[in-house]
Amino acid sequence: MKLYLNLCTPSKFLIFAFSLANLKAKEILINFQYLNMHMDDLKDARVYGGIGAILSTFGIFIPYAGLLFLIVGLVLEILAVDKVSRLLNDKEIFKNYLISTIVEIVGVASATIFGIILLVFLVVEAIPAAPTHNMPRYGFWTFIGALFIVLLILCITSIISAIFLKKSFDPIGSKLNVPLFSTTALLYLIGAVLTIVIVGLLVMFVASILKVVAYFSIPETVTQTSSPSTQTT
């Protein structure tokens, strides 16, 4: 009863709500840190990476919740690569993977926003306020030009992202003796170059499927055939 009376004023209720939200955020952060600290071997990285790759590849096709599954998949993959990077004592692996992911997200977001703006522009220009013979006509070739610009943005950002992904996956493949990581990275790079002719998207989808297999092929322990190479500066 006393708690109810204390929360009757709007200011006190807002303070209480903010404190509760802040406590919940701290709890989520603690659980996230606990999850990362208790990934003690490559077996955990294999599971998180494999599940994350599945969600990031196929989650987008799930109605209504596709974006959520995609984000969860990306987070799981980041956790997995971070763990592999720590166990292999090679910080460049995680650094390059993180750069690759950020560039890809920025590229997709930029292409999507630019595509929406062009679509709205074309629709507005196609509906004149008053009929006139001098009104410019936006037809098939305008649409093709807009599509080319969107694909060009995707192509450039995808190539940059694929280069950093290759810098991350090549050491993982060689040090863990899982060459499929290098194959996956190479297919991503080829697909990125071919994105401008759309067929590259299909190549990148195949690479995403191979990435799932690569993650699940990670051994439970680190068995390097040679001593770790000195990191390049």
Side-chain angles (χ1 to χ4, degrees):
M1 185 64 180
K2 292 181 178 180
L3 177 63
Y4 174 76
L5 292 176
N6 290 333
L7 294 178
C8 285
T9 61
S11 60
K12 291 183 178 180
F13 179 79
L14 288 175
I15 294 174
F16 173 76
F18 178 78
S19 300
L20 186 62
N22 189 37
L23 181 63
K24 192 65 178 176
K26 289 182 178 179
E27 181 182 347
I28 294 173
L29 179 60
I30 291 173
N31 290 334
F32 183 82
Q33 293 174 341
Y34 177 86
L35 177 66
N36 194 26
M37 286 188 300
H38 283 74
M39 291 173 59
D40 294 329
D41 52 33
L42 285 174
K43 181 179 179 181
D44 297 318
R46 177 178 63 190
V47 173
Y48 285 136
I51 295 176
I54 291 174
L55 292 178
S56 61
T57 301
F58 302 102
I60 196 65
F61 299 110
I62 300 176
Y64 306 109
L67 182 60
L68 177 62
F69 280 103
L70 175 62
I71 294 174
V72 172
L74 289 176
V75 171
L76 288 175
E77 283 193 65
I78 290 174
L79 279 173
V81 175
D82 179 48
K83 190 60 182 182
V84 171
S85 176
R86 292 175 184 272
L87 290 175
L88 294 178
N89 195 26
D90 189 348
K91 295 181 180 179
E92 291 298 313
I93 290 177
F94 178 69
K95 176 184 175 181
N96 289 322
Y97 183 82
L98 194 59
I99 294 175
S100 172
T101 302
I102 293 174
V103 171
E104 188 65 23
I105 292 174
V106 171
V108 172
S110 302
T112 301
I113 294 173
F114 187 78
I116 292 174
I117 293 175
L118 283 178
L119 181 62
V120 172
F121 175 77
L122 290 175
V123 171
V124 171
E125 291 295 330
I127 306 176
T132 172
H133 295 290
N134 297 325
M135 200 69 183
R137 296 182 179 181
Y138 294 88
F140 176 76
W141 290 112
T142 305
F143 172 76
I144 292 298
L147 180 62
F148 176 79
I149 295 175
V150 171
L151 290 176
L152 183 61
I153 295 175
L154 280 177
C155 181
I156 295 173
T157 55
S158 295
I159 291 175
I160 298 173
S161 174
I163 290 174
F164 282 100
L165 182 67
K166 198 171 189 305
K167 290 181 178 181
S168 174
F169 274 14
D170 280 349
I172 294 178
S174 60
K175 294 183 178 182
L176 297 183
N177 195 25
V178 184
L180 198 55
F181 274 103
S182 298
T183 304
T184 299
L186 180 60
L187 281 179
Y188 266 116
L189 184 57
I190 295 174
V193 174
L194 296 177
T195 300
I196 196 67
V197 290
I198 302 180
V199 69
L201 298 176
L202 178 60
V203 177
M204 295 176 71
F205 181 73
V206 173
S208 298
I209 297 175
L210 290 180
K211 182 173 63 175
V212 176
V213 181
Y215 275 121
F216 281 121
S217 300
I218 293 178
E220 295 187 3
T221 56
V222 180
T223 55
Q224 301 183 39
T225 56
S226 59
S227 60
S229 57
T230 305
Q231 297 182 17
T232 57
T233 57

